Amino acid sequence: MNSSSFTKTLLFWFSIILLGVMLWKLVSAKPGSRADEISYNEFMAKVDAGDVKDVTMYPSQNSYDVSGQHLRPAGRLFHVTLSKEMAPAVIEHLREKGVDVKIQEVHGTDWMILLLNGLPLVLLVGFCLFLIRQMQRSATLVNSSSTRTGIGYDLHRLEYGRPLIVGGIELPFDKGPVGHSDGDVLAHALCDALLGAAGLGDIGTHFPDTDPKWKGANSLLFLEHAKKLLADKNFAIEHIDAVVITEKPKLGPHFPKMREALAKALGVSSDKIHLKAKTNEGVDAIGRGEAIAAHVVATLVSR
Ligand SMILES: [Zn+2]
């Protein structure tokens, strides 16, 4: 669980508990358990009858709210409102009668009730707004970025006396690919995978083998050009996975250099490029050492 979902869970349960407290208070509040509203005359009669032991007075702008407990029946609360002018005389009278008078500036109990009733609602609303915002954010994220995948394949015949170039690296071998450019199967298949993922056609569209400009060209140039085309369409390379199939030579030991060369041409870090080697188990042209082939899957993200 990440810290964001932990906070959400914590907030959710905190709101639920406070909501529970609020509902419990509402349900458990019996009718009559609140203060009885009495008149000034009733209040004074009670004071004179010695039925009031102590009162708390809450001064407001024009009046005094007076709360206290009946002695008979014990525990019942009462409430009376006095005008500001009457208050000094009443306080004096109460003190004469031995009633303990407390004057409080703020209705502490009322604040507590307000807090207990209002806080869960505020938290719940806040939590819902937070959830809505999170959902909007993830929706924006989904809309603003998309992933595209492209596949590329290439095969070249191998002939004696030609340089074997795979992944931009020349390998020591007695045969090499026949092709208009340097015949780098991995670079060609990779170029097709990238162009395919971006919806930009294939390598033949951009570098026709009829154009003398590309005769014997270093295929890493094709990748550098593909990188520019991707950038123009706001695509970034997320991952490249490739398989090179050849009977000989062993490719694995050369992979670190190939990844480095390809990554440099594409302007990405080499950990985004994954290379694998296969033989064709002596079957078909590749198995007989007459050809080399490559399959590449490229994944792009739009920025
Ligand atoms: Zn090719």
Side-chain angles (χ1 to χ4, degrees):
M1 187 184 283
N2 61 33
S3 61
S4 158
S5 57
F6 176 75
T7 314
K8 273 191 266 179
T9 313
L10 201 72
L11 271 170
F12 175 76
W13 285 111
F14 189 58
S15 308
I16 291 294
I17 289 166
L18 281 171
L19 198 67
V21 169
M22 188 184 84
L23 287 172
W24 173 77
K25 278 183 71 67
L26 281 175
V27 170
S28 63
K30 297 179 203 105
S33 69
R34 294 181 178 212
D36 297 328
E37 282 294 330
I38 59 173
S39 67
Y40 168 72
N41 288 337
E42 283 173 305
F43 172 58
M44 292 313 282
K46 277 179 177 297
V47 171
D48 291 339
D51 196 15
V52 179
K53 196 182 163 202
D54 52 57
V55 291
T56 308
M57 304 180 93
Y58 303 100
S60 57
Q61 206 169 1
N62 299 314
S63 62
Y64 272 59
D65 282 339
V66 182
S67 296
Q69 276 191 18
H70 299 280
L71 284 178
R72 286 180 301 270
R76 293 278 296 184
L77 299 168
F78 67 83
H79 175 256
V80 60
T81 306
L82 304 175
S83 68
K84 202 155 194 171
E85 298 77 45
M86 292 164 73
V90 172
I91 290 168
E92 198 183 326
H93 184 66
L94 287 168
R95 285 186 172 143
E96 275 170 18
K97 289 285 176 186
V99 177
D100 185 13
V101 180
K102 282 187 209 128
I103 298 173
Q104 280 191 9
E105 289 300 320
V106 184
H107 285 214
T109 318
D110 290 357
W111 279 113
M112 277 304 289
I113 289 166
L114 267 176
L115 201 69
L116 271 171
N117 290 327
L119 196 62
L121 281 175
V122 171
L123 279 169
L124 204 65
V125 170
F127 178 64
C128 290
L129 290 174
F130 175 72
L131 273 186
I132 290 167
R133 209 176 147 186
Q134 288 292 107
M135 282 160 74
Q136 281 173 339
R137 267 191 194 172
S138 20
T140 317
L141 216 65
V142 167
N143 290 337
S144 66
S145 75
S146 67
T147 305
R148 307 273 290 265
T149 306
I151 187 171
Y153 168 74
D154 195 28
L155 180 145
H156 282 260
R157 284 187 296 110
L158 292 173
E159 282 186 0
Y160 285 105
R162 299 181 74 93
L164 175 61
I165 294 171
V166 183
I169 301 298
E170 185 170 345
L171 308 180
F173 195 51
D174 55 355
K175 288 183 187 175
V178 178
H180 188 63
S181 64
D182 62 4
D184 185 338
V185 274
L186 178 53
H188 295 180
L190 174 51
C191 200
D192 263 0
L194 294 171
L195 294 172
L200 291 168
D202 63 10
I203 193 167
T205 319
H206 299 274
F207 315 101
D209 57 11
T210 49
D211 189 339
K213 191 163 73 171
W214 306 119
K215 188 169 165 53
N218 180 345
S219 298
L220 293 181
L221 290 175
F222 302 160
L223 292 179
E224 283 172 16
H225 186 70
K227 177 184 83 172
K228 284 181 197 140
L229 294 173
L230 297 186
D232 289 347
K233 287 196 84 177
N234 289 325
F235 282 115
I237 295 167
E238 179 66 23
H239 189 66
I240 287 158
D241 191 21
V243 186
V244 185
I245 313 160
T246 181
E247 213 62 20
K248 275 181 184 173
K250 275 201 175 299
L251 300 177
H254 305 284
F255 279 167
K257 277 192 168 178
M258 288 184 198
R259 290 172 67 203
E260 214 173 288
L262 296 170
K264 194 177 165 200
L266 294 171
V268 296
S269 71
S270 58
D271 60 3
K272 288 188 184 272
I273 300 173
H274 189 236
L275 303 179
K276 300 186 292 286
K278 288 279 171 193
T279 69
N280 224 26
E281 298 278 335
V283 176
D284 291 344
I286 295 173
R288 291 192 296 272
E290 295 168 8
I292 182 169
H295 296 266
V296 178
V297 170
T299 307
L300 307 180
V301 284
S302 65
R303 288 180 289 203

